[in-house]
Structure formats: structure tokens, C-alpha cells
């Protein structure tokens, strides 16, 4: 598949950027996270270290240990949302090295920051919801996420069994998908950028370190069965949270799945309008959810301005809503998270049954 091309940019995105830049100038604020995100990063990473040390070296009673494993899965997700994600987009700090350090937390948590940058920052943010290009909607053959994908009999039940598959995301990410990308040298249909020697060393060095930290050492201190139970609970909860937050942003009933022209390969809309049509917000008035998911319930804002830190999304969302009204573009938003979850389940049911 040749990668699609978007329509030339028109007045919409230029005016939107101008108004957003004006907001930061008048407010006298930097578009990065500043002290607010630094404090959150310190809190979350400290919580991760304390939980790991307590579980591995001072293992409590079984029931309490499993509760801590659930909490640790949540903290892993929160670090991904709040620290790694902003760092990978260069919005964590004005300091380039702090951004690299924040993005590098993914390597500590088991993944590969190199693969994430190619998969998420390059492919997903450019070709959102375009079947065959956006790797995020390619869960074949287990799930059907767009009408262009083949439908199998098991897909009739995907709105029921998706919970299990989402729980498996984190495990498959660190043990399968990173290696798959590494050896095939592809992200979906897009070739992976050539890795230099340092990239190879970092990839393999941290994969070996993670095997030691999260498998070998815990088995040595708590035993195989104790490790297996804790590892399963931690990774399953992290996988479920990560999957839900990202899937609610794009695979719901009201988001679009545009198809490029058969002969020209061109998209109907310019890139910015494409992002709005393929992306949805949820629970943006809920400050607790916004804090926990690193503003990723403001996905419209994030996709339009990935280099702006999530701490500013509530403010710039007002500018984007106003622009959408002026240009007659639908701004998709679910007021409650449970409404977004219900819409995602309905979407999966439709994809599983529609021809």
C-alpha cells in the first residue's frame, strides 16, 4: 500500500495555530509542561520505585500484594500517559534532554522508545484511522476495527471478548510487538527508519535489563508462582487501562475512518480536519480522569497540537471548539467516560456484524 496524501492545508489550521499561539503569548506561558508536569512525574516515578521495592524485597501477604500489583499496573499506565507520552512528543520540557529522559521511561517499563516513536508519533499521528496505514487499528485477525478489514466469524463476539485482548496488550507489546517491528523493520505498511549502533544497543540492553528486573529477580525473591500471579495482575491491568484510553479516542461510533481515493491515493480533507473527524474526547470536565490519563481524554487537542503539553489542553480546547463552530466541523466529545466506553462497545459490535 502506498501511503495516502492529504489535501493541501487551507485557512482552518493556519488560523487555529495563530489563535493558539496568541493565547500562549497573552498568558505568558510556555507550551511545555513546566513545574506542574515535573511534580507529577516525580510523584509517579517515586510511586513505581516504592511499589517495586516493596513487592520484590518486602513482599506483603498475598491479598495485599495483589492489590499493590493492581496499583502498580495503574502507575505504569499513568507514567506512560503523563511522563513518557509528553516526553516523546517533546512537550514535557523546553529542555531537549529532559524530554529524552521522560520518553526514556518507556525503556525502563519494558517497551522500546524507538519503536514507540515510529509507531505512534510518526505513523498514528499522521495517518489516524486510515486502514492499512494506522497500525493502531490493526489487531487482525483477532479484531475487526474498520470496514476495510476482513470479517471473520469470531468477530461477532468481539464486543464481548475485547476485555481479555486489551488485558494482553502490555504483555504482547513488550514480548511480541517490539520484536516484530525490530526484525521485520516495518510499522504496518511503513518501513522502519534505519537504526544506528546506539539504537540497537539500547533496544537489546534494556530488553535484557527488563527480563532481569521483572522476571528473573522477582522469581528469585518471591518464587515462580508468586511472580506469575503478580506479573499477570500488573501487566493485565496496565494493558486494560492503556488500551481503553487509546481506543476511546478513535474507535467509537462517531469517529470517521476515511479512505484515500482509489487511483490518486489522496484524502478528501487536509490533515488537521482529518484529525478532528477521526478523534474523540471524553470526560473532559472530570479533573481526576484528566490528571490520571495525562490529558489524553483531550485527544482532539493532542492530535492537533502534539507538541503542546497536556496541562494546557483544557484551555486550548475552547479555542478549537470555537474554530470548529466557525468552520462547521463536528467536534466529537463524550461528556462521561462510561458513554465513550458504551460507544466503543457498540462500535465493536457493528464492526463484528456488518459486511
Amino acid at each position: 500500500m502506498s501511503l495516502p496524501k492529504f489535501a493541501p492545508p487551507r485557512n482552518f489550521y493556519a488560523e487555529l495555530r495563530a489563535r493558539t499561539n496568541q493565547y500562549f503569548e497573552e498568558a505568558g506561558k510556555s507550551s511545555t509542561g513546566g513545574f506542574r508536569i515535573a511534580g507529577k512525574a516525580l510523584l509517579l516515578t517515586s510511586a513505581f520505585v516504592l511499589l517495586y521495592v516493596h513487592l520484590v524485597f518486602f513482599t506483603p501477604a498475598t491479598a495485599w500484594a495483589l492489590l499493590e500489583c493492581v496499583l502498580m499496573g495503574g502507575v505504569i499506565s499513568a507514567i506512560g500517559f503523563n511522563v513518557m507520552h509528553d516526553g516523546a512528543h517533546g512537550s514535557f520540557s523546553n529542555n531537549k534532554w529532559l524530554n529524552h529522559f521522560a520518553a526514556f521511561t518507556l525503556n525502563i517499563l519494558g517497551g522500546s522508545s524507538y519503536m514507540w516513536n515510529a509507531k505512534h508519533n510518526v505513523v498514528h499521528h499522521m495517518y489516524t484511522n486510515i486502514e492499512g496505514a494506522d497500525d493502531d487499528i490493526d489487531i487482525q485477525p483477532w479484531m475487526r476495527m474498520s470496514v476495510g478489514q476482513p470479517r471473520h466469524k469470531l468477530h461477532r463476539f468481539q464486543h464481548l471478548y475485547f476485555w481479555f485482548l486489551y488485558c494482553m496488550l502490555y504483555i504482547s507489546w513488550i514480548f511480541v510487538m517490539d520484536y516484530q517491528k525490530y526484525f521485520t523493520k516495518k510499522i504496518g505498511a511503513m518501513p522502519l527508519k534505519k537504526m544506528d549502533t546506539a539504537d540497537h544497543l539500547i533496544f537489546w540492553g534494556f530488553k535484557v535489563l527488563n527480563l532481569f528486573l521483572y522476571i528473573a529477580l522477582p522469581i528469585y525473591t518471591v518464587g515462580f508462582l508468586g511472580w506469575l500471579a503478580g506479573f499477570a495482575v500488573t501487566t493485565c491491568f496496565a494493558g486494560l487501562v492503556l488500551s481503553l484510553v487509546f481506543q476511546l479516542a478513535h474507535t467509537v461510533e462517531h469517529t470517521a475512518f476515511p479512505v484515500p481515493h482509489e487511483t490518486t491515493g489522496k484524502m478528501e480533507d487536509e490533515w488537521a480536519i482529518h484529525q478532528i473527524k477521526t478523534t474523540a474526547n471524553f470526560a473532559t470536565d472530570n479533573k481526576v480522569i484528566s490528571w490520571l490519563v495525562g490529558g489524553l481524554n483531550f485527544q482532539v487537542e493532542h492530535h492537533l497540537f502534539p507538541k503542546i503539553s497536556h496541562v494546557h489542553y483544557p484551555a486550548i480546547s475552547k479555542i478549537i471548539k470555537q474554530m470548529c463552530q466557525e468552520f462547521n466541523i463536528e467536534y466529537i466529545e463524550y461528556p462521561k467516560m462510561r458513554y465513550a466506553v458504551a460507544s466503543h462497545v457498540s462500535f465493536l459490535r457493528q464492526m463484528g456484524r456488518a459486511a
Side-chain angles (χ1 to χ4, degrees):
M1 172 186 174
S2 58
L3 294 172
K5 298 178 181 179
F6 293 97
R10 303 183 180 91
N11 296 333
F12 174 79
Y13 197 41
E15 176 64 21
L16 180 59
R17 285 185 296 179
R19 294 187 191 183
T20 303
N21 290 336
Q22 182 181 8
Y23 160 77
F24 283 107
E25 290 175 4
E26 293 178 352
K29 297 179 179 180
S30 169
S31 62
T32 55
F35 289 106
R36 291 170 63 184
I37 196 171
K40 187 189 287 191
L42 181 61
L43 175 64
L44 291 172
T45 53
S46 298
F48 174 80
V49 172
L50 290 173
L51 284 167
Y52 177 87
V53 170
H54 191 241
L55 284 166
V56 174
F57 299 105
F58 305 94
T59 311
T62 301
W64 186 257
L66 291 177
L67 286 174
E68 285 193 16
C69 287
V70 172
L71 180 59
M72 190 169 184
V75 170
I76 288 172
S77 302
I79 292 174
F81 295 143
N82 292 275
V83 184
M84 183 280 290
H85 193 250
D86 273 42
H89 281 291
S91 62
F92 185 88
S93 169
N94 286 318
N95 187 300
K96 181 179 179 180
W97 289 105
L98 279 178
N99 283 321
H100 283 316
F101 185 77
F104 219 72
T105 55
L106 179 58
N107 295 289
I108 301 295
L109 296 177
S112 167
S113 58
Y114 187 94
M115 299 304 169
W116 170 265
N117 179 68
K119 170 185 169 63
H120 181 78
N121 294 7
V122 178
V123 177
H124 171 66
H125 270 266
M126 178 59 71
Y127 305 109
T128 312
N129 276 14
I130 301 178
E131 201 278 317
D134 185 0
D135 190 60
D136 277 15
I137 59 171
D138 185 6
I139 318 178
Q140 301 180 72
W142 314 110
M143 297 183 69
R144 184 178 187 241
M145 306 298 279
S146 73
V147 294
Q149 295 174 350
R151 184 169 63 91
H152 305 298
K153 290 183 179 180
L154 79 160
H155 294 153
R156 288 181 59 85
F157 308 101
Q158 66 178 11
H159 63 288
L160 301 175
Y161 65 71
F162 78 94
W163 299 101
F164 172 76
L165 291 182
Y166 288 1
C167 285
M168 295 295 103
L169 168 73
Y170 193 62
I171 296 176
S172 61
W173 180 356
I174 60 179
F175 289 130
V176 179
M177 291 189 288
D178 275 348
Y179 295 105
Q180 185 180 51
K181 293 173 177 59
Y182 182 89
F183 287 111
T184 63
K185 300 179 181 179
K186 293 175 64 177
I187 308 288
M190 179 177 286
L192 183 67
K193 180 182 176 182
K194 186 176 180 180
M195 302 171 71
D196 58 27
T197 302
D199 295 324
H200 287 289
L201 291 175
I202 290 171
F203 180 87
W204 287 109
F206 276 94
K207 286 299 184 182
V208 172
L209 177 63
N210 292 324
L211 291 175
F212 172 76
L213 288 177
Y214 305 127
I215 299 180
L217 183 58
I219 289 177
Y220 177 76
T221 58
V222 304
F224 178 78
L225 292 180
W227 161 79
L228 182 62
F231 187 76
V233 170
T234 300
T235 54
C236 285
F237 188 70
L240 178 62
V241 173
L242 289 165
S243 296
L244 275 180
V245 170
F246 284 112
Q247 293 294 357
L248 296 185
H250 303 291
T251 54
V252 287
E253 294 171 289
H254 300 93
T255 51
F257 291 77
V259 177
H261 191 277
E262 290 184 5
T263 55
T264 66
K266 292 184 178 180
M267 304 299 297
E268 179 181 355
D269 294 309
E270 62 172 291
W271 175 84
I273 294 177
H274 173 89
Q275 296 304 315
I276 296 174
K277 289 183 176 181
T278 57
T279 307
N281 288 358
F282 63 90
T284 53
D285 289 332
N286 190 315
K287 293 183 179 180
V288 174
I289 289 179
S290 297
W291 192 93
L292 291 172
V293 305
L296 291 180
N297 50 336
F298 287 87
Q299 278 282 340
V300 174
E301 289 66 31
H302 173 60
H303 268 255
L304 289 171
F305 297 104
K307 292 188 178 297
I308 293 178
S309 174
H310 72 266
V311 302
H312 302 295
Y313 291 165
I316 67 173
S317 69
K318 299 173 183 177
I319 300 171
I320 296 172
K321 285 181 181 179
Q322 179 62 36
M323 283 285 295
C324 287
Q325 289 179 356
E326 294 176 16
F327 282 76
N328 196 30
I329 303 170
E330 183 183 7
Y331 181 97
I332 307 169
E333 184 171 24
Y334 296 91
K336 305 288 184 182
M337 185 172 181
R338 63 178 180 270
Y339 298 161
V341 172
S343 184
H344 178 59
V345 173
S346 180
F347 168 81
L348 293 178
R349 183 186 292 111
Q350 292 173 21
M351 287 296 101
R353 297 180 180 181

